Amino acid sequence: MQWLETTALAEWVLTSLVGYPLVLTLHSVGMAIIVGLVMVVDLRLIGRFERIPLTALQSLLRLAWYGFAVNLTTGVMIFTSQAVFYSTSPTFLLKMLMVIGGVAIAAYMQPILRREAVGWGETGGVPPRIRTLATVSLAMWSMTIITGRFTAYL
Ligand code: HEM
């Protein structure tokens, strides 16, 4: 971690005029894409927004991965700038746990949505296990934002 902080990338993020503001701004854009889209998918799966066809959800999820790619890239860049602090910050580590959990649920859901969503429309609804997963996903992404924001303060 100490070595990471000595890299040219960490130096650029920390000292250049545009480094940190630009990367953190892109991190917020990425967050809006992944969390915004995943929350629409989860809310539809738990019964909100019934006019959104269930078969449309997998294409929303496909778009969300672009947001994740942006946040993984920008997150690693910010991380290098204070790697020792972040790697020992309980708030940041909890956030990483929430990100891993949220991503795992999205990755698990994607093939199921592709295969089964068409049937759910005909047979009266989303299976209870999928609704439970969607609820857990909503909580995890909400916690990701809260712990992401509080990292700098706690
Ligand atoms: C994929 C979903 C992610 C979301 C929704 C997310 C969300 C956030 C939020 C809300 C903040 C606070 C932004 C602010 O201060 O204005 C933040 C900051 C940060 N994130 Fe993420 N993040 C994600 C992924 C990652 C990843 C994968 C990493 C690292 C590998 C990471 C590293 C960081 C760091 C280092 C900060 C700065 C904390 C600080 O000092 O303020 N994030 N993130």
Side-chain angles (χ1 to χ4, degrees):
M1 297 300 163
Q2 278 162 352
W3 169 79
L4 266 181
E5 291 185 12
T6 63
T7 57
L9 175 63
E11 179 83 17
W12 179 78
V13 171
L14 213 52
T15 61
S16 80
L17 263 184
V18 293
Y20 198 84
L22 177 68
V23 178
L24 198 61
T25 304
L26 287 173
H27 203 69
S28 305
V29 172
M31 169 181 64
I33 296 170
I34 181 159
V35 181
L37 288 170
V38 169
M39 283 198 170
V40 169
V41 170
D42 291 339
L43 288 167
R44 176 64 188 89
L45 289 171
I46 64 172
R48 310 299 303 182
F49 315 132
E50 287 188 347
R51 271 185 283 166
I52 299 178
L54 289 165
T55 47
L57 298 183
Q58 55 129 347
S59 42
L60 291 180
L61 215 46
R62 210 174 30 239
L63 270 182
W65 293 116
Y66 291 101
F68 178 66
V70 170
N71 267 33
L72 188 57
T73 312
T74 53
V76 168
M77 292 172 81
I78 311 170
F79 181 88
T80 62
S81 68
Q82 299 178 77
V84 174
F85 164 69
Y86 292 127
S87 59
T88 53
S89 154
T91 317
F92 182 77
L93 297 173
L94 177 60
K95 177 194 157 188
M96 285 296 108
L97 215 58
M98 294 297 117
V99 170
I100 293 166
V103 164
I105 293 176
Y108 173 77
M109 286 262 213
Q110 185 131 28
I112 294 174
L113 287 172
R114 198 180 309 120
R115 265 197 328 266
E116 300 176 23
V118 65
W120 297 341
E122 289 148 16
T123 56
V126 178
R129 79 177 202 285
I130 300 295
R131 284 208 297 271
T132 307
L133 272 178
T135 309
V136 174
S137 168
L138 279 171
M140 284 189 156
W141 287 112
S142 306
M143 275 303 288
T144 300
I145 295 179
I146 294 166
T147 50
R149 185 64 270 206
F150 274 85
T151 298
Y153 300 97
L154 296 180

